[in-house]
């Protein structure tokens, strides 16, 4: 089929792979075991000489494989592997590709739970340098002879910091480093990390790809940009066949087998359904988020507003260059932090909840919740003020949401 648009490709993804019984939507395959008429075929699936076969659902099912094909298409990669959650995808990537004595470089504004994984890596003998990745010189200065990879997120949560995505891509290419980009907040509808040379792309499918807050899932996509023949930690068993697949093969085989955080077919199905409206939802929530950010920025009771498509954003130029819109994530500071709870309670539409990328707008005071355990010193280092409020903008009508903030600010 000729090159088609983003949503056309998604809604016809299953048909490309061959519909079963003409079913327009991929069926949910719940079988754990897969049997064969000939033992040679059973052996072939085990040994990998038969491609695309199944033997045991921990390593994948036809339903999870259909979602992997869909995600690969969204990221324009050469293959994907799905996991039970975004965290499982991140942990599996690190644990299968790194070993004791390795060094990695990450943004210092990564997602809190990813930070927790990084501290686990340190306990396993992997060293981690955390830098301000909006300045690629800081990434360059952190490179050591044993550096294996650079890990960044496209838009950080809650502060919306953006790394110098293309400069880091060029640096990784020049220095032969694997570039891993967590695309969760932007999603492939707004940005493809392949365009800046990322070798691996991670998505928490739980968030905006599913979009309905009813299923957990995560994925790793190989973009084909990285030469796995140069990567020292690929085990001999996976240094076979097409070298473009070595990395993903190791993440899939070792990640799913050893950690066992496999995506269920039921959730894969729900995520696939949600993904069909990804571009529509992201476009709408980004438009609303920008309108809300612009309204808040002008209000005297509001201090700083963090949203990539505001010209006041420190990495606005990078955002405009790479992202087709600013996403649904926005945060802002109340000048008077003591007013924080009363203000949030006056809001009628946003739901007081953690979580991101839902159909409903979600709101949370950051210092008192997701960054409470981190303590005051870490909050100060991360630039998290006591009055910082995070909003994940949903699908409500923009005028209703802005009007609700207006009444709450004047209350
Ligand atoms: C939520 C999130 C994750 C983890 O995803 P889960 O599916 O909740 O495990 C990883 N990275 C980012 C940027 C996230 O926002």
């Amino acid at each position: 089929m000729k090159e088609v648009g983003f949503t056309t490709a998604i809604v016809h993804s299953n048909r490309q792979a061959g519909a079963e019984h003409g079913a327009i939507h991929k069926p949910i395959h719940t079988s754990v075991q897969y049997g064969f008429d000939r033992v040679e075929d059973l052996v072939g699936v085990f040994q990998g000489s038969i491609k695309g076969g199944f033997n045991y659902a921990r390593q994948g099912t036809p339903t999870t494989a259909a979602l992997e094909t869909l995600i690969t298409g969204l990221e324009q990669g050469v293959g994907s592997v799905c996991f039970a959650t975004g965290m499982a995808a991140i942990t599996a990537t690190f644990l299968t590709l790194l070993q004791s004595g390795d060094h990695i470089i990450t943004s210092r504004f990564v997602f809190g739970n990813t930070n927790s994984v990084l501290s686990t890596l340190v306990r396993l003998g992997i060293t981690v340098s955390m830098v301000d990745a909006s300045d690629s010189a800081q990434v360059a200065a952190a490179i050591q002879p044993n550096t294996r990879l650079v890990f960044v997120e496209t838009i950080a949560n809650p502060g919306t910091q953006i790394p110098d995505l293309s400069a880091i891509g060029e640096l990784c290419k020049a220095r032969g480093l694997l570039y891993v980009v967590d695309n969760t907040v932007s999603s492939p509808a707004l940005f493809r990390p392949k365009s800046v040379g990322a070798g691996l792309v991670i998505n928490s499918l739980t968030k905006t790809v599913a979009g309905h807050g009813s299923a957990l899932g995560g994925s790793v996509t190989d973009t084909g940009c990285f030469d796995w023949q140069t990567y020292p930690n690929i085990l001999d068993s996976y240094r076979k066949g097409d070298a473009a697949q070595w990395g993903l093969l190791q993440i899939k085989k070792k990640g799913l087998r050893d950690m066992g955080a496999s995506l269920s077919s039921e959730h894969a199905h729900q995520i696939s359904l949600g993904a069909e409206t990804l571009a529509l939802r992201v476009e709408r929530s980004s438009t609303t988020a920008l309108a809300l950010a612009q309204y808040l920025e002008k209000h005297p009771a509001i201090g700083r507003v963090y949203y990539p498509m505001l010209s006041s954003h420190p990495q606005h130029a990078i955002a405009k260059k790479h992202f087709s819109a600013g996403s649904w994530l926005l945060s802002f500071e109340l000048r008077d932090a003591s007013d924080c709870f009363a203000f949030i309670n006056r809001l009628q539409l946003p739901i007081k909840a953690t979580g991101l990328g839902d159909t409903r707008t979600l709101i949370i005071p950051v210092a008192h919740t997701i960054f409470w355990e981190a303590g005051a010193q870490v909050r100060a280092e991360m630039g998290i003020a006591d009055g910082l409020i995070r909003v994940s903008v949903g699908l409500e009508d923009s005028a209703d949401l802005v009007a609700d903030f207006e009444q709450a600010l004047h209350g």
Side-chain angles (χ1 to χ4, degrees):
M1 196 157 102
K2 74 175 188 52
E3 201 57 29
V4 294
F6 189 85
T7 297
T8 310
I10 299 179
V11 296
H12 290 282
S13 170
N14 286 340
R15 201 156 59 105
Q16 294 305 306
E20 297 160 49
H21 312 294
I24 286 176
H25 292 278
K26 185 78 183 174
I28 306 173
H29 291 277
T30 55
S31 185
V32 173
Q33 273 81 237
Y34 292 82
F36 302 88
D37 289 336
R38 294 167 1 111
V39 71
E40 287 85 349
D41 293 339
L42 170 65
V43 170
V45 170
F46 259 87
Q47 295 185 357
S49 59
I50 297 178
K51 301 280 173 226
F54 302 93
N55 53 45
Y56 190 72
R58 180 161 15 81
Q59 294 296 131
T61 71
T63 315
T64 62
L67 177 61
E68 286 167 352
T69 303
L70 193 154
I71 305 292
T72 302
L74 297 187
E75 292 291 3
Q76 296 188 344
V78 296
S80 299
V81 51
C82 284
F83 290 90
T85 64
M87 285 320 301
I90 291 171
T91 303
T93 300
F94 285 148
L95 291 186
T96 58
L97 294 183
L98 298 171
Q99 60 192 37
S100 172
D102 287 345
H103 169 253
I104 68 170
I105 302 168
T106 76
S107 158
R108 68 184 185 88
F109 299 114
V110 290
F111 181 57
N113 298 350
T114 301
N115 229 324
S116 164
V117 178
L118 296 176
S119 70
T120 301
L121 296 183
V122 170
R123 290 176 52 213
L124 296 174
I126 296 154
T127 48
V128 182
S129 298
M130 303 186 97
V131 302
D132 180 349
S134 67
D135 176 8
S136 67
Q138 290 200 21
V139 179
I143 298 175
Q144 300 175 11
N146 57 340
T147 305
R148 295 283 169 253
L149 62 86
V150 177
F151 177 94
V152 299
E153 293 167 359
T154 50
I155 303 176
N157 155 27
T160 73
Q161 294 91 346
I162 300 168
D164 195 342
L165 291 158
S166 50
I168 297 173
E170 282 161 26
L171 180 69
C172 286
K173 186 161 189 227
R175 304 295 293 269
L177 299 174
L178 174 62
Y179 187 19
V180 186
V181 176
D182 182 335
N183 196 24
T184 299
V185 174
S186 34
S187 90
L190 297 183
F191 175 63
R192 285 199 178 100
K194 183 182 181 178
S195 68
V196 293
L200 293 178
V201 182
I202 291 174
N203 280 287
S204 164
L205 306 174
T206 315
K207 311 289 172 56
T208 194
V209 172
H212 42 52
S214 301
L216 290 155
S219 63
V220 185
T221 301
D222 190 323
T223 62
C225 292
F226 184 70
D227 179 5
W228 291 102
Q229 296 182 76
T230 65
Y231 196 75
N233 297 350
I234 300 293
L235 301 168
D236 284 343
S237 356
Y238 308 122
R239 287 186 174 273
K240 289 191 193 120
D242 181 7
Q245 294 292 335
W246 290 359
L248 206 62
L249 191 63
Q250 182 157 314
I251 296 170
K252 182 171 182 143
K253 289 273 189 168
K254 292 289 284 176
L256 289 174
R257 183 198 300 146
D258 298 6
M259 279 156 262
S262 313
L263 181 65
S264 71
S265 288
E266 286 87 347
H267 279 184
H269 174 73
Q270 288 184 35
I271 293 165
S272 299
L273 289 182
E276 297 186 353
T277 54
L278 173 62
L280 286 72
R281 288 182 284 103
V282 170
E283 193 181 312
R284 178 169 173 116
S285 54
S286 294
T287 305
T288 306
L290 178 60
L292 187 59
Q294 285 167 336
Y295 167 75
L296 292 169
E297 198 172 38
K298 289 197 200 89
H299 199 282
I302 304 291
R304 296 203 51 180
V305 180
Y306 303 93
Y307 190 68
M309 289 303 159
L310 291 177
S311 53
S312 58
H313 190 282
Q315 293 93 38
H316 180 59
I318 297 178
K320 275 196 42 174
K321 182 170 150 205
H322 293 299
F323 306 153
S324 52
S327 97
W328 35 265
L329 174 67
L330 111 104
S331 31
F332 61 94
E333 290 164 10
L334 279 185
R335 284 194 195 282
D336 181 0
S338 66
D339 200 28
C340 189
F341 290 6
F343 165 71
I344 293 176
N345 280 329
R346 281 194 297 273
L347 286 164
Q348 303 290 310
L349 290 175
I351 298 170
K352 297 148 202 77
T354 188
L356 298 165
D358 200 285
T359 47
R360 281 87 164 147
T361 295
L362 309 177
I363 192 161
I364 190 163
V366 177
H368 311 82
T369 57
I370 40 183
F371 274 89
W372 183 249
E373 203 181 298
Q377 194 191 330
V378 171
R379 288 199 292 273
E381 283 164 15
M382 302 269 301
I384 293 172
D386 288 348
L388 186 71
I389 295 172
R390 180 184 82 186
V391 185
S392 167
V393 174
L395 299 182
E396 295 91 345
D397 292 277
S398 172
D400 293 336
L401 206 59
V402 174
D404 193 25
F405 274 79
E406 208 161 4
Q407 68 74 23
L409 280 164
H410 293 272

